[in-house]
Amino acid sequence: MNDLNELTPQALRRVRWVESRRPEQIPPAGDWLVWLIQTGRGWGKTRTGAEWVAEQAVDQPGTRWAVVAPTIGDARDVCIEGQSGLLQALAPNKVENWNRSMGELKLGNGSKVHTFSGEVPDRLRGPQFHGAWCDELAAWPRLQDTWDNLQMGLRLGDRPRLTVTTTPRPRPVIRDLVSRDDGTVHLTSGSTFDNADNLPSSALDELRRRYEGSRLGRQELLGELIEDVAGALWTVDTIASTRLDRYPELQRIVVGVDPATSGRGDETGIVVCGRAMIGDEWHGFVLDDRSLLEHPEVWRNKVAEAYMDWNASAVIPETNRLGGTVETLIRDAPALKGQPVQIIPVVASSVTGGKGMRADPVAAAWAQGRCHMVGAGFQELESQMVSWVPGDSRSGSPDRLDALVWAMTHLLVDLPGEPPRPVSKVGFSSTARGETPKFIRP
């Protein structure tokens, strides 16, 4: 084009993408079946996946494509409508219709793109596709079932292909793809910092300051596939195999808190958990993680908001560092608007005999299949769970994990004999983090 000023914004964006994309963002040559883009956050995975499926659907008229993300909201809001999504990758004259409610994008050449969720694998039973884009594969709540159903639907055309864009986590499907040496998988790796030209320098500096050298930084920023840590009480497979996309009627909900004394250094762990009787055993459910790095005047409001939003029965704060001040801070939180709150303080030194002893029963309950993450939005918490080794000072201060252990200990250890007595009917959320739960009182 001689005059870029004459192009529409979308067309100009496409030209600039072709001119500025990095070599590793160009679809690879070869006879691969899966292009696995396993990189750190901010690398440009979403844009690369959207551009790939857009190119395939435009160049192959009348074809059908699947876009699968952790939730249907992610597929719609990020993969299709997002800043780096499919509608931005396609020229306007290529799009005939986007049906948001049905999750169907129709192109003028007869190609169609359908959206699906990693929470509902059965929706992939029946449809057939020429290919697919799998976004944040490692975060799909029901990864194995959804992946299997998708594979069975890739049966149109001569050689169905798919592109996977994901932050690495050592889940079985990811491990299998990475280990293949038969030429069917083309692996592209990269870090957040590969895309430094398009990211704010201040944000990159802060990420380096907080996460450089940590397990979470290696995984989420450098894009490394990190395996389980010897001696850790949890494994990736244990957490993944017990994950649920919804929770039942809950008998009790509490907010575990591991408070920080300032807004520097350690985070304040704020984790919401609930319990329900399934069969003749209590099960625990991780519902929300609102942990943050802030001073007490800020985190006390986050605790209060979690207590109110989830209609919790109690707050379970550890009081070693701040003593009775913790209770005062929470009771006086503006977010409570004067409403009473039940606080059940715990003291690590007199109750636990050490972090490892306190965490052991909770880890054992997980191994027995009695504890569950609800949804897939708990990366930081799960990273602490699978990397913290009791007695190893190099494991750092697992603030989110401490809050989780306080909450689960209260629900599954301290109150084991309490009969199942539902106090509220809780409408399930497909992914708890970032969503306000709905309550239906009996």
Side-chain angles (χ1 to χ4, degrees):
M1 291 290 180
N2 294 325
D3 188 2
L4 295 181
N5 293 324
E6 295 180 0
L7 296 177
T8 64
Q10 288 89 344
L12 179 60
R13 193 171 185 274
R14 173 68 183 172
V15 169
R16 286 176 173 165
W17 163 255
V18 172
E19 292 178 346
S20 65
R21 60 184 174 179
R22 304 188 301 278
E24 61 270 24
Q25 292 179 299
I26 299 173
D31 202 28
W32 52 269
L33 295 177
V34 178
W35 181 14
L36 174 58
I37 304 172
Q38 183 177 258
T39 66
R41 297 189 191 184
W43 179 90
K45 297 187 295 293
T46 303
R47 182 69 190 276
T48 304
E51 292 285 350
W52 178 81
V53 77
E55 182 178 312
Q56 303 304 309
V58 168
D59 291 348
Q60 302 177 55
T63 50
R64 293 178 176 270
W65 302 84
V67 171
V68 191
T71 71
I72 198 64
D74 294 330
R76 180 190 62 229
D77 300 337
V78 177
C79 297
I80 303 297
E81 300 177 347
Q83 252 186 327
S84 299
L86 196 51
L87 289 176
Q88 294 294 324
L90 288 163
N93 63 351
K94 301 294 184 183
V95 177
E96 180 176 313
N97 182 55
W98 161 232
N99 189 319
R100 197 170 194 270
S101 61
M102 292 181 62
E104 178 185 277
L105 178 64
K106 186 174 182 180
L107 276 58
N109 68 355
S111 292
K112 292 182 180 180
V113 180
H114 299 265
T115 57
F116 297 90
S117 162
E119 302 168 312
V120 191
D122 283 350
R123 276 205 62 211
L124 283 159
R125 291 182 178 273
Q128 303 179 68
F129 308 101
H130 292 82
W133 168 26
C134 304
D135 189 47
E136 291 299 347
L137 177 68
W140 291 5
R142 299 181 64 182
L143 174 51
Q144 191 67 60
D145 288 345
T146 307
W147 178 259
D148 290 343
N149 279 345
L150 176 62
Q151 301 308 305
M152 295 175 188
L154 294 173
R155 51 181 187 262
L156 296 180
D158 296 331
R159 191 167 178 79
R161 286 179 162 184
L162 58 83
T163 289
V164 173
T165 53
T166 188
T167 304
R169 297 175 73 192
R171 300 186 67 177
V173 170
I174 302 290
R175 285 171 170 161
D176 173 65
L177 291 173
V178 171
S179 66
R180 290 191 200 176
D181 58 2
D182 56 2
T184 58
V185 176
H186 181 95
L187 175 61
T188 294
S189 302
S191 82
T192 301
F193 305 104
D194 294 341
N195 196 29
D197 290 345
N198 298 308
L199 299 172
S201 59
S202 59
L204 294 176
D205 290 343
E206 179 63 14
L207 290 172
R208 286 192 180 95
R209 185 187 70 80
R210 290 191 61 184
Y211 300 113
E212 192 167 39
S214 70
R215 177 187 175 93
L216 184 63
R218 289 170 58 198
Q219 174 179 284
E220 300 294 318
L221 302 180
L222 300 184
E224 295 182 26
L225 183 64
I226 302 175
E227 298 291 345
D228 295 323
V229 175
L233 297 182
W234 284 267
T235 68
V236 172
D237 286 348
T238 297
I239 296 173
S241 65
T242 55
R243 191 185 310 277
L244 299 175
D245 61 356
R246 61 186 67 192
Y247 51 87
E249 182 175 339
L250 298 174
Q251 184 268 348
R252 186 173 178 84
I253 299 172
V254 298
V255 183
V257 182
D258 183 63
T261 57
S262 70
R264 301 182 300 276
D266 295 341
E267 290 183 310
T268 291
I270 305 170
V271 178
V272 182
C273 299
R275 77 170 186 174
M277 182 69 77
I278 299 180
D280 58 357
E281 293 183 308
W282 287 114
H283 282 238
F285 302 84
V286 183
L287 306 169
D288 203 352
D289 179 3
R290 301 196 182 186
S291 305
L292 75 168
L293 182 66
E294 277 290 356
H295 55 80
E297 290 300 314
V298 174
W299 64 246
R300 69 172 183 171
N301 259 334
K302 289 296 181 183
V303 172
E305 289 167 1
Y307 179 82
M308 300 290 287
D309 289 347
W310 284 98
N311 194 27
S313 300
V315 175
I316 317 294
E318 185 257 290
T319 59
N320 283 59
R321 285 178 284 188
L322 292 175
T325 305
V326 173
E327 294 186 59
T328 302
L329 281 167
I330 295 172
R331 291 191 195 281
D332 293 342
L336 285 174
K337 299 179 180 178
Q339 295 195 40
V341 54
Q342 182 182 18
I343 298 177
I344 304 175
V346 288
V347 181
S349 58
S350 63
V351 176
T352 68
K355 289 180 186 288
M357 288 181 62
R358 190 63 171 182
D360 271 337
V362 180
W366 236 289
Q368 296 164 0
R370 295 195 297 113
C371 286
H372 315 272
M373 293 289 182
V374 181
F378 299 94
Q379 287 90 345
E380 291 86 355
L381 172 57
E382 292 177 24
S383 180
Q384 289 188 2
M385 294 169 70
V386 300
S387 61
W388 179 70
V389 177
D392 187 344
S393 60
R394 295 171 299 176
S395 297
S397 177
D399 312 294
R400 296 168 190 256
L401 173 56
D402 285 344
L404 167 70
V405 168
W406 291 126
M408 284 296 189
T409 298
H410 172 81
L411 293 172
L412 301 181
V413 180
D414 293 347
L415 302 174
E418 184 176 314
R421 179 174 47 81
V423 294
S424 65
K425 178 83 171 181
V426 184
F428 66 80
S429 164
S430 59
T431 179
R433 291 196 64 188
E435 297 181 14
T436 301
K438 297 178 181 178
F439 298 92
I440 307 169
R441 295 187 180 278

